[in-house]
């Protein structure tokens, strides 16, 4: 357990509304990530952060923005939700222990856009 | 660009048998890391094992081992003495920088493993 909490865990929203998902971590990890998981695609990287106010785009960033104003919080925003953004969203952190790298995930947020 | 290929969409295995889940990768990076995750039906992503590209020995974690063949670009997961609780989706993933993980993971599409009593 790397102390990662996602909120909300489930959300249903209407097309065109803004949505913000929150990822909170308690262990001061530098690197944080947002992924989405869809059937037939595995997990795909949306955005990531390597520090406060330092973020970058991943493979599927269109329609998403992120912010990281504090080390412990990484927010994912859908400015105007579309049905194609119905998915399960995972937040993750990565850390290095000696020669090993480990990456841990939050519990996931199931988002349905109707 | 990195790519992960998992060629087994689904597998049925008898309890107590050993299981090998296939993973091949493609990358132009000289330094990279390889991961395996388990996703049970409850949905959480559980980290199983990590292998760095410069590690000479195969990684092991309890019943899990990673059969790393660098020249073949393969990183197969071996589960010894399978148990009913091993039934889940398994994902292979890689990052471009061993020991850093700064640029996130690239995932395969997964293998659905079902252990039969």
């Amino acid at each position: 357990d790397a102390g990662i909490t996602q909120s909300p865990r489930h959300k249903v929203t209407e097309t065109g509304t803004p949505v913000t998902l929150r990822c909170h971590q308690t262990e001061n990890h530098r690197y944080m990530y947002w992924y989405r998981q869809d059937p037939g695609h595995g997990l795909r990287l949306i955005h990531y952060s390597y520090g406060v106010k330092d973020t970058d785009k991943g493979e599927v960033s269109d329609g998403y923005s992120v912010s990281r104003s504090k080390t412990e919080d990484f927010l994912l925003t859908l400015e105007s939700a579309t049905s194609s953004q119905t998915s399960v969203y995972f937040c993750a952190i990565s850390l290095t222990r000696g020669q090993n790298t480990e990456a841990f995930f939050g519990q996931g947020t199931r988002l349905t856009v109707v | 660009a990195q790519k992960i290929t998992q060629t087994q969409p689904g597998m049925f295995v008898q309890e107590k048998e050993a299981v090998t889940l296939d993973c091949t990768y493609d990358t132009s990076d000289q330094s990279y890391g390889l991961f395996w995750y388990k996703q049970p039906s409850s949905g959480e992503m559980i980290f199983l094992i990590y292998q760095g590209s410069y590690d000479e020995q195969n990684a092991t974690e309890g019943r899990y081992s990673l059969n790393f063949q660098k020249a073949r670009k393969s990183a197969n997961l071996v589960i010894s003495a399978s148990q009913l609780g091993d039934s889940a989706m398994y994902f292979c993933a890689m990052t471009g920088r061993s020991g850093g993980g700064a640029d996130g993971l690239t995932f395969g599409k997964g293998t659905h493993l079902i252990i039969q009593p």
Side-chain angles (χ1 to χ4, degrees):
Chain A
D1 183 357
I4 306 168
T5 304
Q6 291 184 230
S7 60
R9 294 292 313 279
H10 302 270
K11 186 171 183 65
V12 179
T13 192
E14 292 186 350
T15 299
T17 60
V19 177
T20 295
L21 309 183
R22 180 184 185 228
C23 178
H24 180 76
Q25 54 123 337
T26 59
E27 299 185 10
N28 212 35
H29 298 296
R30 178 182 176 190
Y31 299 108
M32 299 184 74
Y33 310 84
W34 277 107
Y35 295 86
R36 60 178 288 174
Q37 184 177 24
D38 305 292
H41 288 279
L43 278 80
R44 293 178 291 174
L45 182 66
I46 305 171
H47 280 280
Y48 62 98
S49 170
Y50 39 97
V52 173
K53 298 188 178 178
D54 287 326
T55 65
D56 208 344
K57 296 179 179 180
E59 177 188 356
V60 290
S61 60
D62 288 348
Y64 302 94
S65 63
V66 290
S67 65
R68 193 167 179 199
S69 58
K70 299 184 292 185
T71 299
E72 58 266 34
D73 288 325
F74 191 32
L75 305 180
L76 176 71
T77 297
L78 292 65
E79 300 290 346
S80 178
T82 68
S83 58
S84 64
Q85 293 176 311
T86 292
S87 188
V88 179
Y89 291 86
F90 285 97
C91 174
I93 62 93
S94 71
L95 58 106
T96 301
R97 302 186 206 265
Q99 295 297 314
N100 289 339
T101 295
E102 299 175 6
F104 296 99
F105 287 77
Q107 322 95 302
T109 295
R110 184 172 295 275
L111 177 68
T112 303
V113 183
V114 297
Chain B
Q2 300 166 341
K3 184 177 181 180
I4 294 282
T5 302
Q6 296 181 251
T7 58
Q8 305 152 311
M11 287 184 69
F12 290 87
V13 173
Q14 289 297 120
E15 189 180 8
K16 299 182 183 178
E17 290 184 352
V19 181
T20 297
L21 303 180
D22 295 338
C23 173
T24 58
Y25 61 91
D26 191 22
T27 182
S28 56
D29 292 324
Q30 296 301 309
S31 177
Y32 50 88
L34 295 154
F35 300 74
W36 277 93
Y37 286 88
K38 173 184 179 181
Q39 187 177 42
S41 58
S42 53
E44 70 265 36
M45 294 289 289
I46 302 170
F47 168 75
L48 295 178
I49 197 165
Y50 167 83
Q51 177 87 39
S53 59
Y54 290 111
D55 294 339
E56 294 185 353
Q57 291 197 337
N58 288 340
T60 60
E61 289 287 348
R63 293 188 299 114
Y64 304 107
S65 61
L66 198 153
N67 184 0
F68 181 46
Q69 299 188 39
K70 194 170 183 177
R72 295 186 176 184
K73 293 189 175 180
S74 76
N76 297 340
L77 177 71
V78 180
I79 306 173
S80 63
S82 59
Q83 302 170 358
L84 296 178
D86 293 331
S87 294
M89 283 290 292
Y90 288 81
F91 291 96
C92 181
M94 72 180 303
T95 184
R97 302 177 204 179
S98 175
D103 50 358
L105 297 174
T106 299
F107 282 82
K109 295 184 178 182
T111 295
H112 189 193
L113 175 66
I114 297 174
I115 307 298
Q116 297 175 313

